[in-house]
Amino acid sequence: MIPVRHDAVEVNFDGARASLRVRDLSAFDDHDLANSLTQGLGLPANPAAMPPTPAIPGVFPVRSKVSFDVEWNGVMAMAQIENSSQSFKGSFLSTGATIRWSAEQPGFRFDSDAPPDPNANLISVLGRERNGVFFS
């Protein structure tokens, strides 16, 4: 989790709309998940795994900047969930969503498709929940 400016987020739950807009956020490009989880050490091969897994070489993280626009819009399904024994309840909206993002570091820049393809979305959810001491 990385804090963002308060005005980067807009939510209209009743209108089933929300957005998150971030510009030039400092981040590290860890190359892949294995190097992110091992702080750049990579992973050794595991020939005993099924299927066998190859080694993932270590790659030192590179400072980068990322920007992204996420838009949630339109109700596809709704759910009300309450679990009193775990002090949890919430209202959830399955919505459509699009993401456009870019990353930049010395010698490299990536921009996602423009405009974003709404059909590439698998699942997106907006929700309001109450839990713990806020459950009542």
Side-chain angles (χ1 to χ4, degrees), residues 43-114:
L43 292 172
N46 186 352
M50 285 309 216
T53 58
I56 299 175
V59 176
F60 194 75
V62 176
R63 288 196 175 274
S64 63
K65 290 192 180 277
V66 296
S67 297
F68 46 89
D69 291 325
V70 185
E71 296 279 341
W72 294 264
N73 189 10
V75 176
M76 297 160 69
M78 296 171 35
Q80 298 286 331
I81 300 171
E82 183 165 347
N83 184 328
S84 296
S85 66
Q86 293 186 355
S87 299
F88 176 89
K89 64 181 170 184
S91 301
F92 301 92
L93 307 174
S94 177
T95 70
T98 57
I99 301 173
R100 180 170 179 180
W101 71 280
S102 64
E104 188 172 354
Q105 63 191 46
F108 178 78
R109 178 166 175 82
F110 175 83
D111 284 297
S112 64
D113 292 339

Side-chain angles (χ1 to χ4, degrees), residues 11 21 40 65 73 85 96 98 102 109 124 128 131 133-134:
V11 178
R21 289 181 173 73
K65 290 192 180 277
N73 189 10
S85 66
T98 57
S102 64
R109 178 166 175 82
S124 301
R128 287 182 176 155
N131 60 54
V133 297
F134 304 104

